[in-house]
Amino acid sequence: MRLSDCVVVLTGASGGIGLELADQLCAAGARVLAVSRHLGKLSSLMNRYPQQLRWQAADLCSAEGRGEVLAAARAMGGFNVLINAAGVNRFALIEQLDEAALDELFDLNIKAAVKLTRICLPLLREQPAALVVNVGSTYGSIGYPGYATYCASKFALRGFSEALRRELADTTVSVLYAAPRATRTAMNSSAATALNQALKVGMDDPQDVARAVLAAVQSDRNELYLGWPEKLFVRLNGMLPGVVDRALRKQLPLIRRYSTSHSKESSK
């Protein structure tokens, strides 16, 4: 799919990977309906791409918000790419999260993506070729301590993507599941960043992640995993989970230490 032919509905567009996707899509000639709760840094992009970029304020966790996105997409004359990039992360042991935090994470990371995709499918089906892109995580394939709930939401998004791809196999709509590794965005807490540094975990810039996702769109891929050795761990976890179990067990003291320090900071 050529980016210059794309009319895109992009969620989570005001920061991180979403903001970079909006920038690179517009630079390539695509038209973009950027969806977020707040305008944020999108304002400068709108000045740069006044003919290509439109902002839609919406709470994707509400039926009303999703309906506003659909109405805005119809007003554009339809679209052929939906990118579900909105999400929230929580680095914390499960006992450190209250029910409100759990609801926020699952409502945005999986329920909003599924529900928005469902109501957008009729418009996507009208296109000669269309694509749903779900931005997940390597933690959608590897259960990682300190991220149990985040992993659960991304495992669900990966399963949804796989099943939806098979469900739409005889239609013009394709599905791409993109799984970045740790990325330098404001979504990471200071404790998560400190843990990554202590473990010497590689982190990618949002610009590089967005570039890889759009390359996968152009090459008609249905899966994208980023980072080494993360791609190896994904494969090992699928074939030899006991090996990954033993490796991660050694990291537990550090994970508990950093999650506890973050929990104390949050309670002040």
Side-chain angles (χ1 to χ4, degrees):
M1 181 176 286
R2 293 193 308 176
L3 297 183
S4 58
D5 295 333
C6 292
V7 182
V8 184
V9 172
L10 168 65
T11 71
S14 62
I17 296 170
L19 183 67
E20 289 300 328
L21 284 169
D23 192 353
Q24 294 181 30
L25 280 164
C26 289
R31 293 168 56 210
V32 179
L33 177 65
V35 181
S36 62
R37 280 185 287 189
H38 307 290
L39 183 59
K41 295 180 180 179
L42 276 169
S43 57
S44 61
L45 285 187
M46 292 176 71
N47 292 331
R48 198 186 315 167
Y49 305 110
Q51 303 303 316
Q52 294 170 252
L53 183 61
R54 176 181 173 185
W55 176 55
Q56 176 61 51
D59 176 5
L60 294 172
C61 295
S62 71
E64 180 182 5
R66 294 188 295 271
E68 291 168 351
V69 172
L70 186 61
R74 284 200 175 105
M76 292 174 63
F79 65 105
N80 60 355
V81 180
L82 169 65
I83 303 180
N84 290 307
V88 63
N89 193 356
R90 289 285 183 273
F91 168 52
L93 303 180
I94 191 166
E95 310 99 289
Q96 295 167 340
L97 294 171
D98 59 23
E99 290 197 1
L102 293 175
D103 286 340
E104 179 190 22
L105 187 145
F106 287 113
D107 285 349
L108 185 57
N109 287 9
I110 182 63
K111 291 169 68 175
V114 171
K115 291 178 178 181
L116 183 63
T117 301
R118 183 186 69 83
I119 65 171
C120 286
L121 274 176
L123 280 181
L124 290 170
R125 284 175 178 270
E126 294 175 1
Q127 303 297 324
L131 178 66
V132 176
V133 181
N134 291 324
V135 180
S137 168
T138 54
Y139 285 176
S141 299
I142 302 172
Y144 200 93
Y147 292 92
T149 51
Y150 180 72
C151 289
S153 70
K154 294 302 184 179
F155 265 72
L157 187 64
R158 178 171 63 88
F160 170 64
S161 302
E162 182 178 286
L164 183 66
R165 182 184 307 118
R166 293 167 177 170
E167 192 170 304
L168 299 173
D170 59 352
T171 76
T172 61
V173 184
S174 301
V175 178
L176 165 63
Y177 175 73
R181 63 176 179 176
T183 307
R184 294 183 185 89
T185 71
M187 189 167 68
N188 296 309
S189 66
S190 58
T193 300
L195 176 64
N196 286 336
Q197 292 171 345
L199 294 174
K200 296 180 171 57
V201 171
M203 297 183 72
D204 294 324
D205 290 326
Q207 300 95 319
D208 295 329
V209 176
R211 192 175 299 114
V213 171
L214 296 182
V217 169
Q218 293 175 91
S219 58
D220 299 321
R221 294 181 60 175
N222 56 32
E223 283 189 341
L224 171 68
Y225 287 87
L226 295 175
W228 187 266
E230 286 79 6
K231 286 189 281 190
L232 173 62
F233 291 160
V234 167
R235 182 160 294 190
L236 277 176
N237 196 59
M239 296 188 300
L240 300 167
V243 173
V244 181
D245 285 347
R246 290 189 289 274
L248 294 183
R249 186 183 181 110
K250 296 175 183 178
Q251 297 180 3
L252 273 176
L254 272 177
I255 292 168
R256 289 200 177 102
R257 182 196 310 169
Y258 281 98
S259 67
T260 300
S261 67
H262 176 65
S263 178
K264 288 178 180 177
E265 289 176 8
S266 300
S267 64
K268 287 181 181 178

